[in-house]
């Protein structure tokens, strides 16, 4: 009997939200069995074990990491998956009566009135549903399934396009696509989650393993009955020795994992620069192409005279570990600028496990150094510190500090498991610390001068009234000392940097008229030309607000100040 997919979807989403910190304990037998089944199902993605992960490699030698605990989220969708499998049996029957173009269009919102599906195909589909489901309730459930909104999400609030794959694909493909979305993992790695879901759907051995695993933590939910078997408190046995059992060196305990975030121009990087000596700092910047091999290191070719050899080239993480280990009584910091411009969880890979710290400040759990070149390089640079079975860890004298701007459109979201291993510090906008300097602003009555701090405050107030989040406002250091050093550079910065940010980023989806005179300047090019010619480019209400803050003694009816814009 068909089940109500909407109710099951909402329940799965609730369970996932309520159990982000839920973890399953995978013993070695379970890990090796999953590895065996994975390699059998996906021979083109050869996998190896790395602690709590499967490390997979494709035919382009690109690497991805699949944490076993992704099965936690799949498990929350157990009943939804089972129900979709039952529906898929009828999709198999439809594949024998509908043409491929129709299957490529389904599921489809309001399919019965859609012009994308030919009338003869609608007739066949309606007859099929009425024949298979004579009962009214079951009939409606299957029609809702074909509509898609009961089990898939819309791509946006204003769209009728569904997320997920279509019925022309294999059943496990469109089911896995649906569950991937509900599991809410970061986009760059979630694709291979479909492999785990496919295993879960098609392989009873995998389901038996997952259902039999003990739980190490349950939180934030009153009813977990859907996650059978019944969850009971469990303390996982220690698979790796506590660091104090093998580590004899005494390290200074000063370390933190901290993410500093705030609006652009609030001085996030500046605050770190002033707080940390450059001699004790290792700095790196994440970008969309940053990989684990960039962050930790990898074997790379190097010329030895006229021959080509290979050597391990360390990344900033490895350099930071070496410096901290070699000087245990000194405090060091690894600073990661723009943390969320890369897929952070993927870049960290198995290093993710080291972020949990114990009371001593060291990593709570160490991991094996599986790469022999990595281990040899560490030992070479640390006087064999990592020999004799010493596992990799983040010492208590090494802080991990990161900056990020969550409002940037190019950034990638951080998943909850990653975020909960960091503390967060929000840098607020503080106009008393604003960059000193003035802007020459063209008004209808002429050119006037206004302090940058006051200008930013007035702009931000209008954006806040519009409901713009605080992390998209103008930070007090959005324009630098150099950019406000002369009237010419200030004019360049105002139009060439600040206007672009407001027009293209903050107000790109509408309401530009809250800041700009869009009646006269409908495009950004027109806005720039108007500014260069000394015309008032702000809306009337904003101009009134700015006028009240202008030093009228500097008012000038001649537009020379903006004519120097380049």
């Amino acid at each position: 009997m068909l089940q109500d997919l909407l109710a099951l979807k909402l329940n799965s989403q609730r369970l996932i939200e309520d159990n982000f910190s839920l973890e399953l304990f995978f013993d070695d037998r379970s890990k090796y069995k999953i590895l065996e089944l994975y390699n059998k199902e996906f021979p083109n993605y050869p996998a190896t074990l790395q602690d709590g992960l499967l490390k997979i490699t494709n035919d382009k030698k690109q690497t991805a990491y699949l944490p076993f605990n992704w099965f936690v989220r799949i498990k929350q969708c157990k009943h939804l998956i089972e129900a979709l499998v039952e529906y898929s049996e009828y999709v198999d029957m439809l594949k024998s009566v509908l043409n491929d173009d129709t299957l490529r269009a389904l599921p489809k919102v309001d399919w019965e009135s859609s012009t994308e599906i030919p009338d003869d195909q609608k007739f066949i589909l309606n007859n099929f549903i009425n024949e298979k489901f004579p009962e009214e309730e079951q009939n409606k459930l299957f029609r809702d399934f074909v509509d898609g909104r009961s089990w898939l999400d819309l791509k946006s609030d204003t769209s009728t396009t569904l997320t997920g794959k279509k019925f022309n694909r294999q059943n496990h493909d469109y089911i896995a696509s649906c569950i991937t979305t509900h599991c809410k993992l970061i986009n760059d790695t979630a694709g291979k989650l479909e492999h785990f879901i496919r295993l879960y759907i098609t392989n009873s051995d995998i389901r038996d393993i997952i259902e039999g695993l003990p739980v190490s933590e349950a939180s934030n939910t009153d009813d977990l009955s859907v996650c059978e078997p019944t969850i009971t408190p469990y303390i996982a046995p220690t698979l790796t020795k506590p660091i104090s059992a093998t580590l004899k060196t005494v390290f200074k305990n000063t370390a933190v994992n901290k993410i500093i975030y705030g609006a652009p121009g609030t001085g996030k990087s500046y605050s770190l620069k002033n707080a940390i000596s450059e001699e004790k700092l290792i700095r790196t910047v994440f970008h969309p192409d940053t990989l684990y091999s960039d962050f930790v290191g990898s074997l790379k070719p190097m010329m030895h005279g006229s021959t080509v050899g290979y050597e391990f080239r360390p990344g900033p993480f490895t350099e930071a570990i070496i410096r901290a280990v070699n000087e245990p009584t000194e405090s060091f910091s690894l600073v990661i600028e723009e943390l969320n411009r890369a897929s952070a969880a993927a870049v960290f890979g198995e290093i993710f496990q080291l972020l949990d710290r114990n009371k001593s400040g060291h990593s709570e759990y160490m991991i094996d150094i599986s790469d022999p070149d990595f281990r040899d390089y560490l030992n070479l640079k640390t006087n064999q510190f990592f020999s004799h079975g010493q596992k990799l860890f983040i010492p208590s004298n090494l802080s991990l500090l990161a900056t990020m701007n969550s409002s940037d459109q190019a950034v990638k979201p951080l998943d909850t498991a990653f975020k909960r291993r960091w503390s967060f510090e929000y840098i607020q906008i503080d106009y008393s610390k604003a960059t000193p300097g003035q802007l020459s602003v063209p008004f209808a009555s002429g050119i006037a001068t206004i302090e940058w701090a006051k200008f930013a405050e007035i702009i931000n107030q209008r954006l806040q009234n519009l409901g713009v989040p605080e992390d998209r406002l103008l930070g007090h250091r959005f324009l630098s000392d150099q950019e406000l050093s002369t009237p010419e550079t200030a004019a360049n910065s105002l139009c060439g940097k600040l206007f672009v940010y407001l027009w293209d980023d903050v107000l790109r989806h509408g309401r530009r008229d809250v800041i700009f005179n869009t009646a006269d300047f409908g495009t950004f090019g027109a806005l720039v030309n108007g500014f260069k010619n000394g015309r008032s480019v702000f809306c009337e209400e904003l101009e009134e607000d700015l006028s009240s803050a202008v030093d009228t003694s500097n008012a000038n009816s001649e537009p020379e100040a903006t004519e120097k814009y380049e």
Side-chain angles (χ1 to χ4, degrees), residues 199-334:
L199 279 177
Y200 190 89
I201 294 169
T202 61
N203 196 294
S204 60
D205 290 339
I206 285 285
R207 293 195 294 274
D208 291 342
I209 290 172
I210 303 306
E211 292 307 308
L213 290 174
V215 178
S216 61
E217 180 181 348
S219 62
N220 300 329
T221 184
D222 298 323
D223 180 13
L224 290 176
S225 58
V226 70
C227 300
E228 299 166 352
T230 302
I231 292 176
T232 56
Y234 176 80
I235 300 177
T238 304
L239 294 180
T240 57
K241 296 178 182 179
I243 199 163
S244 58
T246 57
L247 190 60
K248 296 181 180 179
T249 304
V250 177
F251 285 81
K252 190 173 184 178
N253 186 2
T254 56
V256 295
N257 301 336
K258 180 185 289 187
I259 294 174
I260 298 173
Y261 69 109
T266 48
K268 299 181 287 294
S269 299
Y270 181 80
S271 66
L272 292 177
K273 178 181 178 182
N274 283 354
I276 305 169
S277 168
E278 286 291 329
E279 296 178 356
K280 307 297 182 184
L281 183 150
I282 300 91
R283 189 188 301 272
T284 187
V285 181
F286 278 7
H287 54 81
D289 292 329
T290 301
L291 303 172
Y292 173 86
S293 57
D294 301 315
F295 185 53
V296 177
S298 63
L299 200 64
K300 295 184 179 180
M302 174 176 279
M303 293 300 298
H304 296 280
S306 59
T307 61
V308 178
Y310 288 86
E311 289 187 6
F312 183 86
R313 300 287 186 88
F317 176 82
T318 300
E319 295 284 15
I321 292 290
I322 291 170
R323 295 190 64 183
V325 166
N326 285 339
E327 298 181 67
T329 60
E330 298 291 332
S331 297
F332 293 89
S333 296
L334 172 60

Side-chain angles (χ1 to χ4, degrees), residues 322-386:
I322 291 170
R323 295 190 64 183
V325 166
N326 285 339
E327 298 181 67
T329 60
E330 298 291 332
S331 297
F332 293 89
S333 296
L334 172 60
V335 174
I336 305 170
E337 302 280 8
E338 307 291 352
L339 174 70
N340 55 342
R341 280 191 173 274
S343 177
V347 173
F348 272 73
E350 72 264 28
I351 303 304
F352 179 95
Q353 180 77 10
L354 304 181
L355 293 175
D356 283 313
R357 295 183 186 258
N358 59 24
K359 292 181 180 179
S360 299
H362 299 303
S363 295
E364 178 71 22
Y365 301 105
M366 298 175 285
I367 62 175
D368 292 314
I369 306 174
S370 57
D371 184 343
D373 299 303
F374 181 27
R375 182 180 59 247
D376 291 346
Y377 185 85
L378 285 172
N379 282 326
L380 176 66
K381 297 296 184 179
T382 61
N383 193 26
Q384 302 301 309
F385 183 90
F386 291 94

Side-chain angles (χ1 to χ4, degrees), residues 50-300:
Q50 282 200 2
D51 196 47
L53 306 161
L54 281 187
K55 178 182 177 181
I56 66 168
T57 308
N58 64 14
D59 56 2
K60 297 180 181 179
K61 305 303 181 183
Q62 296 170 322
T63 301
Y65 297 88
L66 310 183
F68 286 119
N69 260 300
W70 278 357
F71 278 118
V72 175
R73 303 206 186 168
I74 299 172
K75 187 175 180 177
Q76 313 298 345
C77 300
K78 171 188 174 183
H79 293 312
L80 177 58
I81 291 172
E82 292 173 345
L84 286 171
V85 169
E86 182 179 358
Y87 277 85
S88 71
E89 296 174 1
Y90 294 96
V91 175
D92 283 337
M93 300 177 195
L94 281 174
K95 289 178 179 178
S96 65
V97 296
L98 295 178
N99 64 37
D100 190 63
D101 287 341
T102 300
L103 293 169
R104 287 177 182 275
L106 298 175
K108 178 70 177 175
V109 172
D110 295 328
W111 61 270
E112 293 182 83
S113 59
S114 173
T115 57
E116 293 185 31
I117 302 174
D119 289 341
D120 64 319
Q121 293 288 292
K122 292 178 187 175
F123 179 79
I124 294 172
L125 183 51
N126 271 305
N127 280 350
F128 175 89
I129 297 174
N130 292 333
E131 178 184 336
K132 297 295 182 183
F133 307 104
E135 295 181 6
E136 181 179 354
E137 181 181 354
Q138 293 284 291
N139 191 290
K140 183 180 185 305
L141 287 175
F142 196 82
R143 289 179 183 276
D144 289 344
F145 169 69
V146 178
D147 177 276
R149 284 174 289 185
S150 62
W151 56 290
L152 294 170
D153 293 333
L154 295 173
K155 288 189 174 180
S156 70
D157 293 338
T158 58
S159 172
T160 58
T161 303
L162 297 162
T163 59
K165 298 177 181 177
K166 301 299 184 178
F167 288 161
N168 64 306
R169 305 291 292 268
Q170 296 187 58
N171 292 334
H172 55 68
D173 282 338
Y174 61 78
I175 296 175
S177 178
C178 164
I179 302 304
T180 298
T181 301
H182 296 328
C183 285
K184 295 185 177 179
L185 290 168
I186 53 178
N187 293 335
D188 279 357
T189 58
K192 295 303 176 292
L193 175 64
E194 294 189 7
H195 287 185
F196 276 0
I197 298 171
R198 177 170 163 181
L199 279 177
Y200 190 89
I201 294 169
T202 61
N203 196 294
S204 60
D205 290 339
I206 285 285
R207 293 195 294 274
D208 291 342
I209 290 172
I210 303 306
E211 292 307 308
L213 290 174
V215 178
S216 61
E217 180 181 348
S219 62
N220 300 329
T221 184
D222 298 323
D223 180 13
L224 290 176
S225 58
V226 70
C227 300
E228 299 166 352
T230 302
I231 292 176
T232 56
Y234 176 80
I235 300 177
T238 304
L239 294 180
T240 57
K241 296 178 182 179
I243 199 163
S244 58
T246 57
L247 190 60
K248 296 181 180 179
T249 304
V250 177
F251 285 81
K252 190 173 184 178
N253 186 2
T254 56
V256 295
N257 301 336
K258 180 185 289 187
I259 294 174
I260 298 173
Y261 69 109
T266 48
K268 299 181 287 294
S269 299
Y270 181 80
S271 66
L272 292 177
K273 178 181 178 182
N274 283 354
I276 305 169
S277 168
E278 286 291 329
E279 296 178 356
K280 307 297 182 184
L281 183 150
I282 300 91
R283 189 188 301 272
T284 187
V285 181
F286 278 7
H287 54 81
D289 292 329
T290 301
L291 303 172
Y292 173 86
S293 57
D294 301 315
F295 185 53
V296 177
S298 63
L299 200 64
K300 295 184 179 180

Side-chain angles (χ1 to χ4, degrees), residues 472-491:
R472 297 181 70 85
L473 303 182
L474 302 179
H476 49 273
R477 302 283 302 183
F478 187 90
L479 297 183
S480 67
D481 293 311
Q482 179 63 32
E483 289 168 328
L484 293 175
S485 59
T486 67
E488 291 79 9
T489 58

